[in-house]
Amino acid sequence: GALLGRPSALVTGLGETLSRRIVELRDSRGGFRSLDEIEDVKGIGPKKMAEIRPYLLPIDTTHSPPP
C-alpha cells in the first residue's frame, strides 16, 4: 500500500530527503506494520511525526504486503 496519502511535496515539513529515507526503510523492512515505525527514520522524531501524521494513510494489518 501507499505510505503517503499525497505526494510528499505537498506534505508540510517532509522534503525529498526524509521522503526517500521513509521509502528506503519501508522497503528494507518489507513494509510497515505501524505508522510509529516511521519515527525510526533519521530526522523524524515525535514532533515531526505529529506534523506529518495527518498526511499518512492508515496501515492495513489484515493483509500481507505483496512479495
Side-chain angles (χ1 to χ4, degrees), residues 4-53:
L4 300 171
R6 303 175 188 195
S8 61
L10 299 179
V11 177
T12 301
L14 190 63
E16 182 179 335
T17 299
L18 286 178
S19 297
R20 186 176 61 248
R21 288 178 187 165
I22 291 170
V23 171
E24 288 172 356
L25 182 65
R26 180 197 63 194
D27 291 349
S28 73
R29 293 184 176 184
F32 292 127
R33 287 165 286 294
S34 166
L35 290 178
D36 294 330
E37 291 181 68
I38 295 170
E39 287 189 43
D40 293 341
V41 172
K42 181 180 177 182
I44 298 184
K47 183 179 176 183
K48 179 65 71 182
M49 189 63 184
E51 291 175 12
I52 67 173
R53 188 176 286 275

Side-chain angles (χ1 to χ4, degrees), residues 31-35 37 57-65:
F32 292 127
R33 287 165 286 294
S34 166
L35 290 178
E37 291 181 68
L57 295 173
I59 294 176
D60 181 359
T61 57
T62 61
H63 295 93
S64 298

